[in-house]
Amino acid sequence: MTTVAAHPVLGRSLDLHPQVALRPEPFGALAYHYDTRRLVFLKHPDVVRVVRELGNHDTVADTLTACDIAPVRHDAFASAISSLLDSEMLRDRTG
Amino acid sequence: MTALVEQLKGGLDAPICLTWELTYACNLECVHCLSSSGRRDPRELTTDEAKAVLDELHALQVFYINIGGGEPMIRRDFFELVEYSIGRGIGVKFSTNGAFIDAAKAKRLTDLDYLDIQISLDGTDAVTNDAVRGDGSYATAIRAMEHLRDAGFVERNGPFKISVVVTRHNVDQLDEFKALADSFGAQLRITRLRPSGRGADAWHDLHPTNAQQRQIYEWLLAHGEQVLTGDSFFHLNALGEENLPGLNLCGAGRVVCLIDPIGDVYACPFVIHDEFKAGNVRDAGGFARIWKQSELFTELRQPQSAGACASCGSYDACQGGCMAAKFFTGLPLDGPDPECVGGEGELALAGVASGAAPRPMADHSKPPRPVAVSLGRR
């Protein structure tokens, strides 16, 4: 569904780390990781929507499509999701 | 100015950084104590009242609380409240002088999930530390850290913190503090001295000199993310091109607040004064109503005037500094910080008449010790 030079994260199956809590805020949400004690700002409501939905779809790309994120924004979302993966807010889904 | 910082200035649905001083009782009497602690206040929240507050914080999805005092471990229900909080999904970080962390308590603390500990220490030697925190307090803190190490706290829960208030007497020890923390597998946290509580009197002799402020700024730039600061040094951002890591803003009433031992809610831990009191958790509507609707917090979330600093090119970098520092040194809130690195604070302070600065309230200092009188025996 994605075309040119798709970001590698788009093909992965991810979900929210079980130790992460999301709290809605006017700008989007706060994500707090109880193990690493790290706090991250999700700065757009669309990012929050996507993050909450990741576990319900096979891949990140599928999630973006299901959430009606315009293809032109997919790369930006892929970067945001990669950095959430780096900070362990998200994790690879197994099985 | 990022859009996020602008958003944060408008306030959050719940605090990020909530400090809860559980008791004004303390075994120590540090000269810079921000809450003038010493004696327990008889109006202290009961165990049930404290649990009700934790229920509210749970409903608000507060992720963690910073427990302090006084010395919080003095409360008999300390573990009960900590365990209740953690059970409600609210992580706990607590500040202690370490006096009550023996081998058994260290073990008990190690066994708790989502618990973090800050041991206060203001010198890397007994002379420097004890001058501020009292005789024997250096040895006490080190002993507590040894107990935590022996209990395997770091392995199970991650690094505990060594929490330092930077003064003109310990600023040269920053490297040594870091080495001490490293030797325990702990993490260093350094924060800014405020003229709050008993610190209002101690501040003039303890606060870093202008040259030392640059020293702190450069040290923090060099150590970046490894050292925690509670984002308390943002006034130093006016010193250079590069901002220190962290949120560059005063969080009072926006992302930060204080619940004191009797349930009074203040805009931040450093402004225990009626002018910054937003309500009491015992009032109808409880904490949530205060956070969301109090007049004071609503006002603090409005755009603040740069006032006398409006024409200064550094205002975006320093944001006018710390509200508490200005208030308790008698400076207007819309003017320079008393430690303005441009020197404006010093000039402004010179214009404050002696005795004109507001006095901190809720003094729980212990009464002066009776002077030993030798009875007339020959």
Side-chain angles (χ1 to χ4, degrees):
Chain A
M1 281 159 277
T2 45
T3 51
V4 272
H7 194 293
V9 84
L10 289 171
R12 286 167 76 171
S13 303
L14 304 176
D15 62 11
L16 203 58
H17 193 286
Q19 292 298 323
V20 171
L22 292 181
R23 182 174 99 198
E25 286 293 346
F27 55 83
L30 286 173
Y32 181 69
H33 195 307
Y34 280 93
D35 284 344
T36 65
R37 299 187 187 118
R38 212 194 268 246
L39 190 68
V40 165
F41 298 88
L42 304 184
K43 298 175 201 170
H44 197 287
D46 284 345
V47 177
V48 183
R49 226 155 38 84
V50 167
V51 162
R52 287 192 193 278
E53 277 297 307
L54 282 170
N56 296 327
H57 303 277
D58 284 346
T59 64
V60 173
D62 289 347
T63 313
L64 293 176
T65 306
C67 291
D68 283 330
I69 306 299
V72 63
R73 298 170 75 200
H74 282 202
D75 265 4
F77 273 74
S79 310
I81 286 168
S82 293
S83 85
L84 290 171
L85 199 52
D86 290 343
S87 57
E88 297 171 57
M89 293 290 170
L90 303 175
R91 61 168 193 184
D92 277 303
R93 213 156 68 210
T94 43
Chain B
M1 190 68 31
T2 66
L4 178 66
V5 167
E6 284 307 315
Q7 287 275 15
L8 293 181
K9 284 183 176 175
L12 296 175
D13 287 356
I16 297 179
C17 186
L18 184 146
T19 298
W20 187 352
E21 316 282 33
L22 280 187
T23 181
Y24 279 119
C26 194
N27 52 307
L28 296 183
E29 252 185 308
C30 304
V31 299
H32 59 6
C33 179
L34 60 97
S35 57
S36 305
S37 285
R39 288 172 299 156
R40 180 180 174 276
D41 192 304
R43 297 165 294 174
E44 205 165 80
L45 296 178
T46 64
T47 306
D48 286 345
E49 285 174 320
K51 285 182 176 173
V53 172
L54 289 167
D55 290 340
E56 263 205 274
L57 299 181
H58 166 75
L60 286 169
Q61 269 198 283
V62 169
F63 300 123
Y64 60 92
I65 52 175
N66 303 290
I67 286 180
E71 170 50 54
M73 291 185 78
I74 281 183
R75 270 190 75 131
R76 285 170 180 275
D77 55 5
F78 171 75
F79 277 97
E80 185 180 347
L81 292 178
V82 167
E83 283 163 5
Y84 188 82
S85 179
I86 292 169
R88 297 299 257 145
I90 307 165
V92 171
K93 180 192 259 195
F94 78 96
S95 293
T96 175
N97 56 47
F100 301 95
I101 302 183
D102 56 15
K105 298 262 175 54
K107 173 82 175 63
R108 192 164 173 191
L109 291 167
T110 298
D111 288 340
L112 289 168
D113 290 326
Y114 313 129
L115 180 85
D116 198 4
I117 306 176
Q118 283 183 180
I119 310 257
S120 303
L121 192 72
D122 291 334
T124 53
D125 57 78
V127 174
T128 309
N129 178 80
D130 294 4
V132 171
R133 304 186 54 80
D135 285 347
S137 58
Y138 175 82
T140 299
I142 298 290
R143 207 176 308 122
M145 293 182 215
E146 288 168 352
H147 285 308
L148 290 173
R149 181 190 58 203
D150 295 346
F153 183 90
V154 173
E155 288 77 9
R156 190 175 182 282
N157 280 331
F160 63 85
K161 315 296 183 277
I162 297 179
S163 190
V164 177
V165 176
V166 182
T167 69
R168 77 179 58 166
H169 305 297
N170 67 18
V171 67
D172 289 327
Q173 300 183 329
L174 290 176
D175 284 330
E176 291 167 45
F177 277 116
K178 177 81 169 55
L180 179 72
D182 290 345
S183 75
F184 280 100
Q187 188 174 20
L188 181 60
R189 177 177 189 267
I190 69 172
T191 56
R192 181 179 175 192
L193 172 74
R194 271 55 161 242
S196 311
R198 280 193 295 271
D201 295 323
W203 183 83
H204 298 276
D205 295 326
L206 289 184
H207 80 95
T209 64
N210 243 336
Q212 289 174 330
Q213 298 215 78
R214 177 166 289 281
Q215 196 179 333
I216 298 167
Y217 174 72
E218 283 166 4
W219 194 87
L220 282 172
L221 281 184
H223 293 83
E225 309 274 355
Q226 303 166 37
V227 175
L228 302 172
T229 61
D231 297 350
S232 62
F233 289 106
F234 64 91
H235 72 295
L236 299 180
N237 286 334
L239 281 168
E241 294 295 300
E242 201 179 338
N243 274 2
L244 299 171
L247 289 176
N248 178 27
L249 83 159
C250 166
R254 297 159 161 171
V255 295
V256 172
C257 75
L258 167 76
I259 303 177
D260 94 336
I262 61 172
D264 284 336
V265 179
Y266 294 92
C268 99
F270 302 98
V271 285
I272 298 182
H273 188 284
D274 282 351
E275 195 142 330
F276 297 98
K277 183 157 53 179
N280 188 290
V281 297
R282 286 167 167 145
D283 299 342
F287 175 79
R289 188 183 148 86
I290 296 168
W291 180 261
K292 292 176 177 167
Q293 294 174 26
S294 68
E295 234 172 275
L296 175 70
F297 287 1
T298 305
E299 192 187 314
L300 288 172
R301 292 166 194 168
Q302 303 304 310
Q304 305 289 308
S305 153
C309 297
S311 60
C312 174
S314 295
Y315 182 76
D316 275 351
C318 78
Q319 295 284 302
C322 170
M323 183 176 81
K326 292 188 250 200
F327 183 75
F328 286 122
T329 51
L331 298 182
L333 299 186
D334 63 347
D337 185 289
E339 292 182 291
C340 164
V341 297
E344 298 296 330
E346 256 169 284
L347 286 175
L349 282 178
V352 178
S354 165
R359 296 294 300 164
M361 292 176 147
D363 189 354
H364 292 77
S365 302
K366 294 170 204 170
R369 287 195 192 86
V371 180
V373 180
S374 50
L375 295 176
R377 195 196 290 169
R378 292 184 210 174

